[in-house]
Amino acid sequence: MGSSSKRCLGAILVASFYFSTSLAFFPAHHEGESAHPVEHGPKPGLSPHFYRSTCPQADEIVVSVLKKAIAKEPRIAASLLRLLFHDCFVQGCDASVLLDDSKAVASEKNALPNKKSIRGFEVIDEIKAALEEACPHTVSCADTIALAARGSTVLSGGPYWELPLGRRDSKTAYMKLANKNLPPPNATLHRLVKFFGRQGLDKTDLVALSGSHTIGMARCVSFKQRLYNQHRDNKPDMTLEKRFYHKLASICPRTGGDNNISPLDFASPPKFDNSYYKLIVEGRGLLNSDQVLWTGKDPEIAHLVKSYAENESLFFEHYVNSIIKMGNTNPLLGSDGEIRMNCRRVNHVR
């Protein structure tokens, strides 16, 4: 793997405790659910040093739990990173994705894009319990997700970034918005650009953040259409490289097997690197939403894919910029929201 100044900085800052081991969304107005304007940039109250005096060991606690969880199941790193995306792209980074069903809450976990797909909640529970023991009623669930996403990235070999903290937790969830905001993995490039744009994220953010798929797995149901009925003509996606097609077909038969899983990045599944982009250029992107970054006939986006495939340091630099930008999406600050004691329920629910 190539080196970069970002990675070196991360290694220095976290060497004492780090050890290496879908996706387009937009907020929309729905009946009964409001959507706030997307905001990015520095936020009053968001700071990498937010817990310096109240819980200085917060990051170390998060990473200590992550190290054990990832050693046990390397795939969980990608699942925790995905939680951040599925939180931030639905009404902002407010931990609404963690809330379970209750009389007052329709959980986002039951939204079609999340059901039987989103995971990692038990690890978040474990992290939150450790944080509560050390620093009661201090670190929000929204920040816990963000810290777990960064730690998972670094522990998988990816870049470190200075993470602005100080988010507070939503008192409700937005299942209807989750259904609307998280499109299927067969999204076209036009839709991806449009959805990211509505979040205040540009084409560079789209391509860089899609690189999260350098780790993790996907179920066959997410890409089976590409193998057998891409254009509803009972034919495969012709952009699939032939040997890759046969490999995928052996994993995912035409009928059944929807819950079989495949690495999003066959070259180095558990390692956060730039091989995702190299595979796309070769016609071996797993999801349609991956491959269209190269085949979607957008010169700017294709140039970014090629640049990241050739220069891992550039990918890491852009990824850090974009994930910080995404993490600044509509956080609850000050007296808004709350600091949940249990990430699965709001504080007044017993």
Side-chain angles (χ1 to χ4, degrees):
M1 177 191 297
S3 62
S4 72
S5 60
K6 293 282 183 183
R7 293 178 59 206
C8 290
L9 174 61
I12 292 170
L13 292 174
V14 299
S16 63
F17 50 85
Y18 281 138
F19 178 78
S20 288
T21 46
S22 329
L23 217 114
F25 330 97
F26 68 98
H29 292 275
H30 281 261
E31 183 179 356
E33 296 181 351
S34 63
H36 303 298
V38 173
E39 299 176 3
H40 294 296
K43 305 289 182 183
L46 276 188
S47 164
H49 310 300
F50 188 82
Y51 299 111
R52 173 175 282 175
S53 61
T54 57
C55 194
Q57 69 273 46
D59 192 45
E60 186 171 359
I61 290 170
V62 172
V63 173
S64 67
V65 176
L66 287 177
K67 287 169 68 174
K68 293 182 288 185
I70 294 171
K72 182 178 179 180
E73 183 192 10
R75 178 189 173 193
I76 203 66
S79 300
L80 293 169
L81 180 56
R82 188 168 181 241
L83 270 181
L84 178 65
F85 283 79
H86 283 235
D87 183 35
C88 291
F89 278 103
V90 180
Q91 203 68 15
C93 308
D94 60 3
S96 61
V97 71
L98 300 180
L99 289 170
D100 285 341
D101 266 328
S102 70
K103 291 180 180 179
V105 172
S107 176
E108 293 171 23
K109 297 174 184 179
N110 295 322
L112 291 176
N114 289 335
K115 201 167 187 177
K116 297 183 179 179
S117 174
I118 201 168
R119 58 198 299 273
F121 301 110
E122 293 78 8
V123 178
I124 295 294
D125 291 340
E126 186 177 351
I127 293 171
K128 178 61 172 174
L131 289 169
E132 284 296 314
E133 182 177 352
C135 315
H137 204 204
T138 301
V139 182
S140 69
C141 297
D143 279 346
T144 300
I145 294 174
L147 286 163
R150 180 181 66 178
S152 294
T153 301
V154 174
L155 289 169
S156 299
Y160 175 90
W161 60 93
E162 288 288 338
L163 176 61
L165 298 165
R167 303 165 189 83
R168 289 169 65 85
D169 301 325
S170 171
K171 295 181 181 181
T172 190
Y174 307 92
M175 187 176 74
K176 290 181 181 179
L177 288 177
N179 276 320
K180 183 69 174 180
N181 297 356
L182 305 175
N186 62 354
T188 64
L189 186 59
H190 174 75
R191 290 181 69 199
L192 291 172
V193 172
K194 184 177 180 181
F195 297 162
F196 267 68
R198 290 178 178 176
Q199 282 289 348
L201 299 172
D202 59 25
K203 291 181 179 181
T204 299
D205 301 320
L206 165 61
V207 182
L209 292 173
S210 293
S212 298
H213 283 179
T214 184
I215 56 175
M217 312 288 284
R219 295 185 300 152
C220 286
V221 70
S222 300
F223 58 88
K224 183 176 283 191
Q225 178 179 330
R226 296 189 71 202
L227 302 179
Y228 304 111
N229 194 23
Q230 173 70 340
H231 300 293
R232 302 189 180 186
D233 55 3
N234 291 315
K235 294 181 181 179
D237 182 351
M238 299 308 294
T239 67
L240 278 167
E241 191 268 335
K242 292 290 179 64
R243 287 173 297 179
F244 186 55
Y245 165 79
H246 290 298
K247 185 178 186 70
L248 294 180
S250 69
I251 297 170
C252 300
R254 183 180 288 269
T255 58
D258 283 357
N259 290 322
N260 294 349
I261 58 175
S262 171
L264 286 156
D265 173 351
F266 273 88
S268 52
K271 194 171 184 63
F272 197 102
D273 56 21
N274 69 333
S275 59
Y276 166 82
Y277 300 101
K278 296 177 182 178
L279 293 172
I280 289 174
V281 172
E282 297 169 358
R284 292 192 287 163
L286 184 65
L287 305 180
N288 188 76
S289 57
D290 297 324
Q291 194 60 50
V292 293
L293 298 177
W294 180 246
T295 61
K297 300 181 180 178
D298 184 305
E300 180 183 352
I301 287 176
H303 175 73
L304 285 165
V305 170
K306 187 172 186 292
S307 297
Y308 297 162
E310 295 173 349
N311 187 338
E312 187 178 78
S313 296
L314 180 66
F315 162 47
F316 280 10
E317 178 185 346
H318 285 189
Y319 186 86
V320 163
N321 292 337
S322 293
I323 202 164
I324 291 173
K325 184 177 176 182
M326 182 192 73
N328 287 342
T329 303
N330 292 329
L332 296 172
L333 301 171
S335 60
D336 291 338
E338 64 181 9
I339 305 298
R340 284 186 224 141
M341 307 293 286
N342 181 323
C343 290
R344 292 177 179 264
R345 60 177 184 264
V346 297
N347 289 337
H348 67 271
V349 175
R350 299 299 178 187

